[in-house]
Amino acid sequence: MLVASPLSGKWTAYICLATILCTLFTPAVSVKEHDFKKCQQSGFCKRNRAFADHAIGSSAWKSPYNILPESGSFKDGQFQASILKTIDDDGNTIRLPITVSFLESGTARVTVDEEKRQKGEIELRHDSKARKERYNEAEQWVIVDGLALDKEAKVAYEDKSQITVKYGPSSKFEAVINFSPFGVDFKRDGSSQIKFNDRGLLNVEHWRPKIEKPAEPEKKEGEETVEEKKEEEKKEEPKGEDESTWWDESFGGNTDTKPRGPESLGLDISFVGYEHVYGIPSHAGPLALKNTRGGEGNYEEPYRLYNADVFEYILDSPMTLYGAIPFMQAHRKDSSVGVFWLNAAETWIDITTHKDSKNPLSLGIGAKKSTQTHWISESGLLDVFVFLGPTPQDLTRKYGELTGTTAMPQEFAIGYHQCRWNYVSDEDVKDVDRKMDKFKMPYDVIWLDIEYTEEKKYFTWDAHSFPDPIGMGKQLDLHGRKLVTIIDPHIKNVDNWQVSKELKEKGFAVKNKEGNTFDGWCWPGSSNWIDAFSPAAREWWASLFKYDAFKGTLTNTWIWNDMNEPSVFNGPETTMPKDNLHYGNWEHRDVHNLNGMTFHNATHHAVKSRKPGELQRPFVLTRSFFSGSQRVGAMWTGDNQAAWDHLQASIPMVLSQGISGFPFSGADVGGFFGNPEKDLQTRWYQAGAFYPFFRGHAHIDARRREPYLAGEPYTSIIAAALRLRYSLLPSWYTAFHQAYVDGTPIVKPMFYTHPSEESGLTIDDQFFVGNTGLLVKPVTDQNRDSIDIWIPDDEVYYDYFTYDIIPTTKGKKVTLDSPLHKIPLLMQGGRIFARRDRPRRSSALMRWDDYTLVVTIGRDGKSAEGDLYVDDGESYDFEKGQYIHRKFILDGAQKISSTDSEGRGVKSIQQGEWMKKMQSVFVDKIVVVGAPGSWVNKKEVAVESDGRSWSASLEYSPAANGRAAFAVIKKVGARIGADWNVVLA
Ligand SMILES: *[C@@H]1O[C@H](CO)[C@@H](O)[C@H](O)[C@H]1NC(C)=O
């Protein structure tokens, strides 16, 4: 009787066969917020918040953490000492070794451990096999470089109460480490930027044995009354001594046994003089983070980082989502600083903003504000990197140096991806492929969700619906297109399937707290999870992707990793029990936020090694991620909804990914759940054409919505958006390359490009694309025929489509027409960017097409510049120097020149096969927008290249009705990879 039910769909039917779970899995209309913890329901978060309330509320509060002065030593850029934590009125202490490292990059790092746990001098409860140390391997997964110590760092001052170290570029940075109480003041050019333990919220829950209390004390004479007892408990709480969740904790019917007892960490980090902080994705909220301690317009809950499968998430919320990047930045006019909290356990972050001065006279407009944050993690080391800027670029570069940058993608990966849950058969896939062609909609990749498998056994095909995956793959290949199939980390637990058998027999699955293979519930029903922390398990995983193992796959098959938070339907908060054990006997609680990355990484390496000698850059999409995931693929923002507010929310989410080191991101175009109205779908394509990762996707219960089904005028408008994306692929690819080189975001918020413009600091609904000067403001609400766009500078701005000069004022908004067919897209003056204007079916077919360069003349009327990066778009030959990287300069309206942007001589450019073919790829056309009036009678220009000179025609169109004058130079005929000049004067 499922047919008529709105809940029908294969998966519901399937899951509901397991009747017990049926109640758990009726697809809800929105996220069940109560399925996820609030701070109050997470013992350590509650304790640390209470600790903070007590410390802040008490004028007599003194942090009980002091550096033992005689324990301190400074050598080769590193300060080491012991912090003593006073734990009772008798002065008993716990020893916490601290290391402050000053790195060559100018980044500082503060690491605090706990001696007893470090030495294993603790006892575990419940005969646990878990490790005794605080988790100390996050660095191993996350940090790839940049740890060299700054031997130039110098002690500038030292006495019994503090040590001051000068470090960083020209010793501009300073760390004042105070001993009593412990605290660090990080200064730049003499003024405080970031302070640790300024408010005394440092809290390291030390190991202690559990003292069994008598169950129900008998009432004796002289015993305290109930009231007295309550008073007593109240007094205890503020010290963080609420013991109720020290030893075990239950939520949603699951109990977490805590063999190591309480072990959380808390630290306050203050950003002095910064009103706004950013980052710590992923959350569905504004780019500039909100305050979290209540009050009008603020959140009541801290931002949470605990990767979870948040089914139909809610917007404008600090609630956790699928991935976590604990990197926070603070920006104010002309200054940026940041911290990276390297901890993979469940983490909460409170944010409050205060006026700096307590003097009421200075509280008016102009009073400076500071942001105070409070970081709380369940376990692991306290390990924080401090970046002192001063520019936003410094932060992304230095964070990128530590955690790695975006992998150079295959070019197809930045084209358009067509996905739905599900394409029901290989014939269906082939049909969609043909229809996209019929409607002249370029696309590169079609995707298969879970239904292609036989009973959700990954690496298999459903024989009825996908009898001929090879034939399907070959049809796609005719136009250079690719197939992406989903492979999740849960492996169906059955005995008659080799993959499941091997996983269990070889012990490559995550273990439960007893050390046996953990079994949980996911799409296939009873499942086990591969433990990608294990090197042997990763090697085995790689073997499953070989072409002769995963039959039906071809070199154009790529992979989608979903559900890797991991999603466990019957687990606490839809994930794994925290007392599960991973490779090395680390508890899941210690590594939870890393889990998705290790799996994604294992898949990346698996597809990279499918066949010896065949070295293509892998494409693997992930849902869950952590710092470092950018090195191995792309992410998307998870299961959103077909609603205008979800379209709106996607922009700050993508921008936040960008500034946080993982810019290859996008949201499901059209919205995953539900059925978008035609205009919403159309607007979403226009926005999606400007996501770094551009994929349409839909839920199994949603109506079919391949873009050609929309009907006119929508189909044509969507086709135009797709073609716009494809024509700009050379510029997108160049932006990806910059991200690969130094961690620069691919789409950039206003504060990133214009850090001096205070009024742009919180703008998060418009952005620049790479270095193109293309400024886009996607329309994200209905019936909007005009839209206001904020102008960050004094440059001239042209409408992308009409070349109209936009009447702008720096720091002010200007209104643009935005009827449905129009994307509000401006070109900033002073730029040169590349396009390929010939419409084709896929990016692969554009590979040898000629280029168009667009020159937008700047405010000064005579100059512009830009660059272009090109390589073969698939192999690693670019690492050996086989690529073209040009710098274009328009100089004094006299000539446009192209030179190697890295100043490489011909000899250092590898002359491989691809490079040879690029010899016959040319600059076909140059469009100069804002062309000077002096060109009005010009009919031709001279082109000089390869020691020759020839002429090309120039067509000049004078300014008219607000439109800028422009010139088109045709059949330029200079090779894209060569030096050339176009002489205009
Ligand atoms: C990724 O996989 C490679 C190969 O197995 C391994 O060396 C590396 O440590 C892994 N990194 C992460 C982040 O999982």
Side-chain angles (χ1 to χ4, degrees):
M1 291 301 290
L2 281 160
V3 189
S5 158
L7 306 178
S8 77
K10 257 193 203 165
W11 68 287
T12 329
Y14 188 76
I15 283 171
C16 289
L17 290 178
T19 38
I20 331 160
L21 283 154
C22 220
T23 46
L24 278 174
F25 289 103
T26 27
V29 195
S30 68
V31 67
K32 285 176 257 154
E33 231 189 318
H34 55 265
D35 283 352
F36 296 91
K37 287 183 185 177
K38 294 271 168 63
C39 179
Q40 278 291 315
Q41 296 162 311
S42 181
F44 73 94
C45 185
K46 182 180 174 197
R47 292 197 297 274
N48 277 279
R49 256 196 170 183
F51 184 93
D53 287 341
H54 174 70
I56 293 162
S58 145
S59 54
W61 175 252
K62 197 164 168 282
S63 168
Y65 295 82
N66 301 293
I67 285 185
L68 190 63
E70 55 273 26
S71 71
S73 68
F74 183 88
K75 191 168 169 258
D76 293 337
Q78 212 163 40
F79 171 74
Q80 286 180 308
S82 286
I83 296 177
L84 297 185
K85 171 188 181 185
T86 305
I87 56 166
D88 55 25
D89 293 340
D90 303 334
N92 284 314
T93 59
I94 296 288
R95 199 175 272 262
L96 309 172
I98 174 172
T99 305
V100 185
S101 309
F102 300 92
L103 311 178
E104 269 175 4
S105 58
T107 302
R109 178 187 193 180
V110 177
T111 313
V112 178
D113 203 339
E114 179 183 344
E115 194 173 85
K116 266 218 150 111
R117 295 190 200 258
Q118 201 177 37
K119 293 188 172 160
E121 292 167 356
I122 70 166
E123 286 145 34
L124 302 176
R125 298 169 63 243
H126 317 298
D127 296 322
S128 167
K129 297 173 186 64
R131 290 280 280 268
K132 293 181 169 176
E133 304 96 307
R134 285 180 172 272
Y135 183 62
N136 54 19
E137 292 183 356
E139 169 182 326
Q140 176 189 314
W141 305 105
V142 173
I143 306 293
V144 290
D145 203 0
L147 291 183
L149 291 169
D150 177 8
K151 304 279 164 51
E152 309 287 298
K154 278 190 275 299
V155 175
Y157 179 81
E158 186 174 15
D159 67 16
K160 281 253 166 287
S161 68
Q162 58 137 278
I163 176 168
T164 296
V165 178
K166 286 198 184 275
Y167 69 104
S170 19
S171 300
K172 276 193 314 197
F173 303 159
E174 205 176 297
V176 182
I177 305 168
N178 286 304
F179 294 173
S180 184
F182 162 73
V184 191
D185 183 356
F186 292 95
K187 300 178 174 185
R188 193 183 65 222
D189 294 323
S191 59
S192 294
Q193 307 291 325
I194 292 177
K195 289 183 177 178
F196 282 12
N197 204 28
D198 184 33
R199 295 188 290 162
L201 310 189
L202 175 62
N203 183 29
V204 181
E205 290 182 326
H206 58 277
W207 183 78
R208 63 208 94 192
K210 181 170 187 204
I211 297 161
E212 301 296 340
K213 287 184 185 150
E216 194 56 40
E218 277 175 45
K219 185 139 169 103
K220 284 190 200 134
E221 225 183 315
E223 267 236 343
E224 53 191 2
T225 63
V226 176
E227 275 66 38
E228 277 167 345
K229 218 174 146 213
K230 270 196 185 149
E231 268 311 297
E232 198 60 31
E233 277 166 8
K234 253 196 216 154
K235 247 190 259 161
E236 269 186 352
E237 267 200 27
K239 284 160 80 190
E241 304 293 289
D242 164 17
E243 297 185 23
S244 59
T245 52
W246 273 7
W247 309 107
D248 50 59
E249 187 169 349
S250 296
F251 182 78
N254 287 278
T255 298
D256 173 20
T257 65
K258 303 185 182 201
R260 298 178 304 209
E263 52 178 332
S264 80
L265 307 157
L267 176 68
D268 56 291
I269 300 179
S270 301
F271 297 91
V272 183
Y274 294 86
E275 186 179 346
H276 303 292
V277 290
Y278 304 77
I280 57 167
S282 179
H283 299 98
L287 183 63
L289 304 174
K290 287 193 176 183
N291 274 222
T292 60
R293 282 290 206 143
E296 214 193 311
N298 298 333
Y299 299 145
E300 306 276 343
E301 288 289 307
Y303 281 91
R304 187 179 189 211
L305 296 174
Y306 189 61
N307 297 347
D309 180 357
V310 184
F311 190 81
E312 289 198 340
Y313 52 86
I314 48 171
L315 300 178
D316 195 10
S317 164
M319 203 176 155
T320 196
L321 288 177
Y322 311 88
I325 301 180
F327 174 35
M328 180 183 273
Q329 318 178 7
H331 304 285
R332 64 170 181 239
K333 183 174 165 20
D334 294 324
S335 181
S336 299
V337 296
V339 295
F340 171 41
W341 177 270
L342 179 49
N343 187 300
E346 177 183 349
T347 296
W348 301 78
I349 304 135
D350 262 320
I351 300 172
T352 48
T353 308
H354 299 274
K355 297 244 161 66
D356 271 350
S357 173
K358 293 213 167 79
N359 174 1
L361 291 178
S362 65
L363 284 184
I365 300 161
K368 274 219 176 141
K369 288 184 175 174
S370 286
T371 299
Q372 299 176 323
T373 62
H374 183 202
W375 297 68
I376 303 163
S377 288
E378 183 176 14
S379 66
L381 298 182
L382 191 156
D383 196 0
V384 198
F385 293 80
V386 175
F387 309 90
L388 292 182
T391 67
Q393 289 72 24
D394 290 326
L395 302 188
T396 47
R397 197 175 328 118
K398 278 161 192 176
Y399 174 79
E401 185 182 326
L402 290 171
T403 64
T405 60
T406 299
M408 205 52 213
Q410 284 215 40
E411 190 166 26
F412 79 78
I414 67 174
Y416 173 65
H417 301 253
Q418 180 62 44
C419 186
R420 92 166 261 117
W421 180 23
N422 214 81
Y423 287 116
V424 297
S425 65
D426 48 16
E427 282 306 325
D428 190 9
V429 168
K430 293 196 303 200
D431 181 58
V432 172
D433 182 62
R434 283 188 291 261
K435 295 252 172 62
M436 291 295 281
D437 285 347
K438 182 169 167 216
F439 287 87
K440 298 195 164 51
M441 291 178 159
Y443 92 100
D444 270 76
V445 193
I446 190 160
W447 291 52
L448 293 178
D449 210 318
I450 50 179
E451 313 297 334
Y452 77 90
T453 58
E454 182 197 312
E455 297 169 343
K456 314 293 184 298
K457 290 186 289 196
Y458 304 112
F459 311 102
T460 69
W461 299 84
D462 184 278
H464 283 291
S465 43
F466 289 87
D468 184 19
I470 300 273
M472 171 177 67
K474 284 185 171 160
Q475 179 182 316
L476 296 175
D477 190 51
L478 288 177
H479 297 129
R481 291 187 181 131
K482 322 290 171 188
L483 179 74
V484 167
T485 62
I486 200 166
I487 300 276
D488 287 350
H490 49 258
I491 302 297
K492 187 180 171 94
N493 183 10
V494 278
D495 286 333
N496 60 357
W497 178 37
Q498 192 61 17
V499 173
S500 169
K501 253 167 76 182
E502 284 182 21
L503 176 74
K504 289 178 287 187
E505 279 169 18
K506 293 176 193 271
F508 291 157
V510 181
K511 310 283 193 307
N512 61 20
K513 63 176 186 288
E514 281 91 32
N516 305 317
T517 296
F518 168 73
D519 182 88
W521 200 265
C522 207
W523 296 131
S526 169
S527 304
N528 309 119
W529 275 258
I530 177 185
D531 183 8
F533 287 88
S534 150
R538 291 197 300 271
E539 220 168 281
W540 170 75
W541 188 245
S543 74
L544 303 178
F545 287 84
K546 305 276 188 226
Y547 295 114
D548 55 3
F550 189 0
K551 294 212 170 61
T553 57
L554 298 167
T555 53
N556 67 343
T557 311
W558 302 99
I559 304 298
W560 171 16
N561 284 162
D562 195 2
M563 314 294 277
N564 52 337
E565 294 74 24
S567 177
V568 180
F569 291 161
N570 59 341
E573 301 193 88
T574 328
T575 190
M576 252 178 203
K578 284 176 166 172
D579 43 16
N580 268 8
L581 295 171
H582 287 266
Y583 174 76
N585 282 341
W586 293 111
E587 275 196 293
H588 184 70
R589 93 181 67 248
D590 291 324
V591 299
H592 175 83
N593 284 344
L594 277 170
N595 184 80
M597 169 161 79
T598 56
F599 177 66
H600 180 206
N601 172 74
T603 308
H604 167 98
H605 285 281
V607 291
K608 201 169 168 176
S609 62
R610 281 188 287 197
K611 190 176 155 203
E614 169 203 274
L615 210 49
Q616 291 192 81
R617 294 173 227 165
F619 174 76
V620 185
L621 180 78
T622 184
R623 189 168 73 183
S624 185
F625 55 87
F626 193 67
S627 299
S629 293
Q630 67 271 14
R631 306 189 297 257
V632 288
M635 61 73 72
W636 92 108
T637 60
D639 298 345
N640 61 357
Q641 294 182 46
W644 288 95
D645 52 0
H646 273 262
L647 166 57
Q648 208 161 53
S650 72
I651 310 289
M653 289 176 85
V654 166
L655 290 174
S656 186
Q657 287 293 130
I659 61 163
S660 306
F662 196 178
F664 196 177
S665 65
D668 280 344
V669 170
F672 180 60
F673 292 106
N675 297 302
E677 294 143 306
K678 300 282 169 70
D679 54 349
L680 171 58
Q681 190 186 5
T682 305
R683 288 300 197 190
W684 215 319
Y685 271 93
Q686 293 177 334
F690 289 89
Y691 295 151
F693 175 62
F694 182 21
R695 183 184 75 155
H697 188 31
H699 186 270
I700 195 164
D701 291 335
R703 284 194 290 273
R704 290 293 286 247
R705 58 162 107 117
E706 287 65 45
Y708 49 78
L709 293 176
E712 291 301 340
Y714 309 103
T715 300
S716 299
I717 299 174
I718 294 172
L722 290 167
R723 283 189 217 136
L724 176 64
R725 169 69 169 220
Y726 275 77
S727 73
L728 288 170
L729 281 181
S731 288
W732 281 100
Y733 199 65
T734 303
F736 269 81
H737 178 253
Q738 196 59 46
Y740 158 77
V741 169
D742 66 3
T744 300
I746 294 160
V747 292
K748 303 168 177 172
M750 299 299 102
F751 78 72
Y752 193 88
T753 53
H754 293 80
S756 299
E757 278 309 304
E758 202 146 14
S759 60
L761 282 176
T762 56
I763 292 179
D764 60 7
D765 54 3
Q766 60 178 67
F767 51 86
F768 282 101
V769 177
N771 258 339
T772 57
L774 290 172
L775 175 59
V776 63
K777 174 148 180 175
V779 178
T780 59
D781 40 16
Q782 200 160 21
N783 298 329
R784 207 169 241 291
D785 285 337
S786 72
I787 198 167
D788 292 339
I789 189 166
W790 181 83
I791 300 298
D793 54 30
D794 278 327
E795 256 309 338
V796 55
Y797 282 83
Y798 306 97
D799 182 284
Y800 180 85
F801 303 98
T802 63
Y803 305 163
D804 283 350
I805 296 176
I806 308 298
T808 59
T809 313
K810 169 177 160 176
K812 294 260 172 356
K813 288 188 171 169
V814 59
T815 302
L816 304 176
D817 283 345
S818 59
L820 188 62
H821 67 269
K822 184 136 189 192
I823 304 175
L825 177 60
L826 302 183
M827 300 187 285
Q828 186 190 38
R831 303 285 179 157
I832 302 178
F833 60 89
R835 290 195 312 223
R836 273 173 160 159
D837 284 346
R838 185 160 180 179
R840 300 264 196 187
R841 294 163 203 248
S842 73
S843 69
L845 300 180
M846 297 167 74
R847 182 155 295 169
W848 313 112
D849 282 354
D850 291 341
Y851 289 86
T852 294
L853 298 183
V854 180
V855 180
T856 62
I857 294 202
R859 174 73 66 200
D860 69 358
K862 55 184 186 189
S863 53
E865 63 176 80
D867 67 336
L868 171 69
Y869 174 86
V870 199
D871 63 26
D872 66 18
E874 58 188 6
S875 80
Y876 285 95
D877 287 349
F878 71 99
E879 289 178 346
K880 298 179 221 135
Q882 187 165 213
Y883 60 85
I884 291 168
H885 196 182
R886 309 306 301 175
K887 184 175 189 66
F888 308 117
I889 293 181
L890 166 69
D891 195 0
Q894 307 277 306
K895 95 180 168 187
I896 304 169
S897 63
S898 169
T899 53
D900 189 275
S901 95
E902 297 163 30
R904 295 178 302 167
V906 181
K907 277 198 204 116
S908 62
I909 300 170
Q910 202 212 23
Q911 301 299 328
E913 188 101 341
W914 176 82
M915 208 63 184
K916 280 195 200 107
K917 281 191 99 164
M918 285 305 285
Q919 301 239 354
S920 45
V921 177
F922 299 92
V923 177
D924 174 48
K925 198 160 76 175
I926 301 178
V927 180
V928 183
V929 181
S934 58
W935 294 3
V936 64
N937 292 320
K938 202 173 275 300
K939 296 274 184 291
E940 46 183 43
V941 296
V943 183
E944 307 166 347
S945 185
D946 291 330
R948 295 189 303 124
S949 165
W950 62 91
S951 65
S953 70
L954 181 149
E955 210 169 83
Y956 186 86
S957 304
N961 294 332
R963 194 203 63 211
F966 66 96
V968 181
I969 304 167
K970 288 183 178 161
K971 298 217 161 54
V972 176
R975 287 187 292 116
I976 191 69
D979 287 355
W980 49 256
N981 293 313
V982 170
V983 183
L984 298 153

